[in-house]
Amino acid sequence: MTKIIDVISQMRKLDGKFPKREQRVADFVLSNLERATRLTQNEISEAADVSVATVNRFCQTVGCEGFRDFNIKLAQSVAVSLQYLGGPSRTDSESEQLVTQVFGALVDTLNLARFQLDSEAVEQAVSVLANARRISFIGVGGGSANVAREGANRFFRLGIPTEAHADGYFQRMLASTLSDGDVIFAISASGQPAELLDSVAIARQYGARSISLTKAGAPLARSADVSIEIDIPEDQDIYKPSASRLVFIAIIDVLAAGTARKRPELVKEYLRRIRTSMIALSEDTGPKPIGD
Amino acid sequence: MTKIIDVISQMRKLDGKFPKREQRVADFVLSNLERATRLTQNEISEAADVSVATVNRFCQTVGCEGFRDFNIKLAQSVAVSLQYLGGPSRTDSESEQLVTQVFGALVDTLNLARFQLDSEAVEQAVSVLANARRISFIGVGGGSANVAREGANRFFRLGIPTEAHADGYFQRMLASTLSDGDVIFAISASGQPAELLDSVAIARQYGARSISLTKAGAPLARSADVSIEIDIPEDQDIYKPSASRLVFIAIIDVLAAGTARKRPELVKEYLRRIRTSMIALSEDTGPKPIGD
DNA sequence: TATCAAAGTGTAAGTAACTTACATGCATTG
DNA sequence: CAATGCATGTAAGTTACTTACACTTTGATA
């Protein structure tokens, strides 16, 4: 697939090195980025006071096939840039800026995490989960505990008995009841909590498989059979919420989707049952994700 | 500023309501978003097996002036949605594709949601939250209940007493104890559950403010003082987890960040205290988001 | 069930826009 | 000063978008 070439930076790079008349085109476009998007080749040629052919050549000079191609690439670059540049002429309200910032940061982080994900670890984890008789998600501290609950919420829909716990003592006791065929899934942003380290160690001792989802290189990562590690630079702005738990949830999504695909028929049946159980409660029972 | 009209969500919104032949065009474009960007009207008409005129009418139906206009707007929407996705290369393993798909869908959905967010509603919600004496998050069903917990987890760090409940009976009873200065925050992907509708009505009756985070146009949205509405087309692939709860969490992030900025000094102090309380438990107490 | 109106659809002509070939002009260098 | 090569504009050529009109389907009503 063709990566979107950023014509704006391409124009900036060549700025000053264009042939004289093409430079006029560049000047005009660069100082009327947003407007140029909506103009035809002809209109641009008039605005820059050059011939249409020059405009066309200009397009080829910046690496496009012709004006058509240039026009679309410019529109795309402008669309992307305007989002994050928050250029000077923008009159976004404060709350619009807030939304852009937070969503931007989240998207950014998701993308970062995606490239860190070790696909081999994902594959191993899916294979362990798909064969699990039972999965116990554990996590402590508000965030990770919620991710653990989310994991349980995801996987029980696939017909696998699941549970989630945030109580360190309970976790250790629970771990000691697990055995071959069971899976303990430990979640921690720091990878340090003794509760989790203990629980994983206990569970392994009794023959259960263990999966960890945590910070790269953390003690917890080293202690589990399969370890999914992510290193997310937390934003320095302490008012900006951390994105790591969102990434964790996204990873749980990946694992759930992968597991579901390994047992398609079973899953369909379980989802059907769950949907049936909700018919009485809701008007809408189409083929949609289930549960509120 | 010129708002970029998001034709992709426009298409999704009208999906299923198009005239028969135009629907074919919609189907093709929606499932070949990136490719459609580079096709001419003629090529699209062939691919969808309709006449060019139908393609042109389709463009007008989704709110564009004609194909030219549509083509550019589509390119922009696609660019914004896919800006972080390097396309999947052919050599990707199955699990790599899985990761790409799930993350891609999430990023896509986040971008979509951003355009739908009504910044005025966000502003109002932040203002209500920042002045709250206490916030009760309520939700039912695995997903929304978790989002509610996440909300509580976020806001208590800002020094506001919070709680989260998933028990419908408890929610109603709780609601009847609220009064002026308290806030009830109801979360639901469907916006239908009677538990939430009742609780919000009861809380309002006793003078509490109410905020809802739910599907656009749902009953719950109409019943609250401030309503944040999102319309997310759920993916048809039932094995693919729904992205809506991730969007909900992202929105909670936005609200928390906005609230934090309204009370910077207070928040700093509370975060300091929380961090202090954790020093004994962890090696790492740098300026990072707190809590596991 | 027949009829009619309204909406949907395709064909084809018309128009606007992009592309390319070619001729002219200008600058640089031997 | 002449020759070469790059830069530019003109105009013809081609492609692509738009629109008018006629035919078809759909749905409502008698």
Side-chain angles (χ1 to χ4, degrees):
Chain A
M1 134 171 177
T2 4
K3 187 121 196 183
I4 296 165
I5 295 156
D6 181 11
V7 286
I8 294 182
S9 36
Q10 183 68 9
M11 282 189 288
R12 295 225 168 94
K13 195 191 292 176
L14 297 175
D15 200 17
K17 295 170 196 152
F18 286 108
K20 266 199 291 290
R21 308 304 294 258
E22 288 185 31
Q23 182 65 51
R24 295 172 65 104
V25 180
D27 290 345
F28 172 76
V29 172
L30 280 172
S31 48
N32 295 279
L33 280 178
E34 215 230 325
R35 193 174 137 225
T37 293
R38 295 189 299 269
L39 299 179
T40 68
Q41 187 174 214
N42 225 305
E43 289 167 322
I44 290 178
S45 80
E46 273 175 36
D49 195 25
V50 297
S51 71
V52 277
T54 301
V55 175
N56 207 285
R57 272 188 287 269
F58 164 81
C59 298
Q60 293 172 352
T61 306
V62 295
C64 301
E65 287 182 17
F67 181 80
R68 226 169 256 286
D69 189 34
F70 171 79
N71 198 24
I72 286 184
K73 292 209 170 105
L74 178 67
Q76 294 190 314
S77 291
V78 168
V80 172
S81 309
L82 279 187
Q83 295 228 325
Y84 287 97
L85 289 184
S89 66
R90 305 249 310 188
T91 54
D92 274 3
S93 72
E94 201 173 321
S95 64
E96 269 169 348
Q97 283 177 14
L98 187 69
V99 171
T100 301
Q101 267 183 27
V102 174
F103 273 70
L106 291 179
V107 169
D108 246 347
T109 313
L110 276 178
N111 197 52
L112 229 152
R114 171 168 160 260
F115 289 108
Q116 286 182 22
L117 261 190
D118 176 3
S119 63
E120 211 166 296
V122 169
E123 220 154 295
Q124 284 173 25
V126 166
S127 141
V128 168
L129 290 167
N131 296 308
R133 185 174 55 201
R134 166 191 181 190
I135 311 172
S136 302
F137 291 89
I138 60 174
V140 295
S144 298
N146 270 343
V147 177
R149 285 197 199 93
E150 190 59 33
N153 181 42
R154 266 288 140 65
F155 277 86
F156 95 84
R157 288 159 202 272
L158 309 183
I160 306 171
T162 61
E163 62 205 311
H165 298 285
D167 173 340
Y169 287 81
F170 192 97
Q171 287 166 359
R172 291 189 184 93
M173 293 188 288
L174 174 71
S176 68
T177 71
L178 300 180
S179 61
D180 190 41
D182 298 332
V183 174
I184 190 161
F185 196 128
I187 298 162
S188 167
S190 68
Q192 311 248 358
E195 291 90 335
L196 302 188
L197 291 169
D198 290 354
S199 302
V200 168
I202 293 169
R204 292 186 70 177
Q205 179 187 328
Y206 288 111
R209 306 296 299 272
S210 58
I211 301 177
S212 73
L213 175 55
T214 186
K215 192 167 116 181
L220 182 59
R222 287 192 296 272
S223 77
D225 293 326
V226 180
S227 171
I228 298 178
E229 312 183 26
I230 291 289
D231 203 1
I232 296 172
E234 293 293 0
D235 205 297
Q236 287 306 321
D237 182 354
I238 57 172
Y239 305 123
K240 205 184 285 175
S242 92
S244 63
R245 87 196 55 190
L246 212 79
V247 170
F248 279 6
I249 292 178
I251 293 173
I252 299 258
D253 267 16
V254 170
L255 297 177
T259 303
R261 289 198 187 159
K262 287 218 167 182
R263 4 188 334 177
E265 289 314 314
L266 273 176
V267 169
K268 246 185 217 160
E269 166 62 10
Y270 285 115
L271 289 179
R272 190 193 61 75
R273 285 197 215 163
I274 296 175
R275 187 175 293 126
T276 305
S277 78
M278 295 192 64
I279 284 183
L281 297 174
S282 165
E283 302 160 5
D284 186 356
T285 54
K288 303 198 167 183
I290 305 147
D292 205 25
Chain B
M1 93 163 208
T2 351
K3 188 119 195 183
I4 296 161
I5 295 155
D6 182 9
V7 287
I8 295 181
S9 44
Q10 184 67 9
M11 282 190 287
R12 295 223 167 102
K13 197 188 289 175
L14 296 176
D15 200 18
K17 295 169 196 150
F18 286 107
K20 261 200 294 292
R21 306 306 294 260
E22 288 185 33
Q23 181 67 49
R24 296 171 65 107
V25 180
D27 290 344
F28 172 76
V29 173
L30 280 173
S31 49
N32 295 279
L33 281 177
E34 211 247 326
R35 195 175 135 222
T37 293
R38 293 189 302 268
L39 298 180
T40 67
Q41 187 175 216
N42 226 306
E43 289 167 321
I44 290 178
S45 80
E46 272 176 36
D49 195 26
V50 298
S51 71
V52 278
T54 300
V55 175
N56 208 284
R57 273 188 287 268
F58 165 80
C59 298
Q60 293 171 354
T61 304
V62 296
C64 300
E65 287 182 16
F67 182 79
R68 225 168 260 286
D69 188 35
F70 171 78
N71 198 22
I72 287 185
K73 292 207 171 109
L74 177 67
Q76 293 191 315
S77 292
V78 169
V80 171
S81 302
L82 302 185
Q83 56 186 304
Y84 285 102
L85 297 182
S89 75
R90 247 167 266 123
T91 55
D92 277 359
S93 71
E94 200 175 322
S95 65
E96 271 168 346
Q97 282 178 13
L98 187 69
V99 171
T100 301
Q101 266 183 26
V102 174
F103 273 70
L106 292 179
V107 169
D108 201 29
T109 311
L110 278 177
N111 279 317
L112 235 153
R114 164 164 47 188
F115 285 111
Q116 287 183 20
L117 260 190
D118 176 3
S119 63
E120 210 166 296
V122 169
E123 220 154 293
Q124 284 173 24
V126 166
S127 140
V128 168
L129 290 167
N131 295 309
R133 185 174 55 198
R134 166 190 181 190
I135 311 172
S136 301
F137 291 89
I138 61 175
V140 294
S144 298
N146 270 343
V147 177
R149 285 197 199 92
E150 191 59 33
N153 180 40
R154 266 287 140 65
F155 278 86
F156 95 85
R157 289 158 202 272
L158 308 183
I160 306 170
T162 61
E163 62 206 309
H165 298 286
D167 174 340
Y169 287 81
F170 193 96
Q171 287 167 358
R172 291 188 184 91
M173 293 188 289
L174 174 72
S176 68
T177 71
L178 299 180
S179 62
D180 191 39
D182 297 332
V183 174
I184 191 162
F185 195 129
I187 298 161
S188 167
S190 69
Q192 311 247 1
E195 290 90 335
L196 302 187
L197 291 170
D198 289 354
S199 302
V200 167
I202 294 169
R204 293 186 68 176
Q205 178 188 330
Y206 288 111
R209 307 296 298 274
S210 56
I211 301 176
S212 72
L213 175 55
T214 187
K215 191 168 115 181
L220 181 59
R222 288 193 295 272
S223 76
D225 292 325
V226 180
S227 171
I228 298 179
E229 311 183 25
I230 290 289
D231 202 2
I232 296 173
E234 293 293 358
D235 204 297
Q236 289 305 324
D237 181 354
I238 56 171
Y239 304 123
K240 206 183 282 176
S242 92
S244 62
R245 88 195 53 188
L246 213 81
V247 170
F248 279 7
I249 293 179
I251 293 173
I252 298 259
D253 266 16
V254 170
L255 297 177
T259 303
R261 286 193 192 166
K262 287 218 168 182
R263 5 192 318 167
E265 289 314 315
L266 274 176
V267 169
K268 247 184 217 161
E269 167 61 11
Y270 285 115
L271 289 179
R272 190 192 62 75
R273 286 198 214 165
I274 296 176
R275 188 175 293 124
T276 305
S277 77
M278 293 191 65
I279 285 184
L281 297 175
S282 164
E283 302 160 6
D284 186 355
T285 54
K288 304 200 167 183
I290 304 149
D292 205 25

